[in-house]
Amino acid sequence: MTRRQRDVVEYFPHDAGASDGDTITILESQFGNDGYAFWFKLLERLAAAEGHFIDCNDSLKWQLLCAKAHSTPEKAITIVDMLANLNAIDRELWQSRLIWSQHLVDNVATVYRNRNRIPPSNPLVTDK
């Protein structure tokens, strides 16, 4: 019996200069360490999520994200809105309450090359 292939990773690069980037600089200026922590907790959740996206329409997934990031839902929405405005996550998908970061998927593309597979692509939004 073959093992089911999953679109998750257990590791993503966290460069030593990550805090020098525009996203973290702006998040920290607005939210202090909460902004930094939220972003990297979000990246961890995205890396571990099947297909590397989070459907925040699913109440449990949204509550888990907020709990893992030690954030209130109100603050989390403000931070995710900012991430969308910074193009750190897909702005159009966030309007449908889906979180997807192409940058993260690009950073883990080597894992998928080693698996002889293409990385997941952004989720499609339908009327359903």
Side-chain angles (χ1 to χ4, degrees):
M1 184 178 223
T2 59
R3 213 168 98 192
R4 183 173 86 83
Q5 294 182 336
R6 298 190 64 213
D7 288 333
V8 299
V9 295
E10 295 178 7
Y11 169 83
F12 66 91
H14 181 138
D15 300 327
S19 61
D20 296 333
D22 294 345
T23 299
I24 289 297
T25 299
I26 292 171
L27 286 175
E28 285 184 317
S29 74
Q30 294 290 316
F31 305 103
N33 284 331
D34 288 350
Y36 179 93
F38 188 95
W39 176 232
F40 282 102
K41 296 273 187 168
L42 175 60
L43 290 174
E44 290 170 3
R45 300 295 296 173
L46 287 169
E50 183 67 36
H52 303 305
F53 73 94
I54 299 171
D55 182 354
C56 297
N57 293 298
D58 181 324
S59 178
L60 179 60
K61 289 180 182 178
W62 177 247
Q63 289 175 42
L64 279 170
L65 174 60
C66 293
K68 292 283 188 179
H70 301 285
S71 178
T72 65
E74 298 79 19
K75 183 183 256 186
I77 286 173
T78 303
I79 293 172
V80 176
D81 284 345
M82 180 165 287
L83 289 167
N85 288 333
L86 293 168
N87 294 315
I89 64 168
D90 187 285
R91 186 180 313 183
E92 288 180 34
L93 289 173
W94 175 237
Q95 290 173 357
S96 297
R97 301 221 2 120
L98 298 174
I99 300 176
W100 164 268
S101 174
Q102 184 63 51
H103 181 70
L104 171 69
V105 174
D106 292 345
N107 275 342
V108 298
T110 302
V111 172
Y112 289 95
R113 266 194 301 278
N114 291 341
R115 294 175 181 172
N116 294 316
R117 296 180 38 220
I118 58 170
S121 57
N122 62 321
L124 298 174
V125 177
T126 64
D127 292 338
K128 295 182 180 182

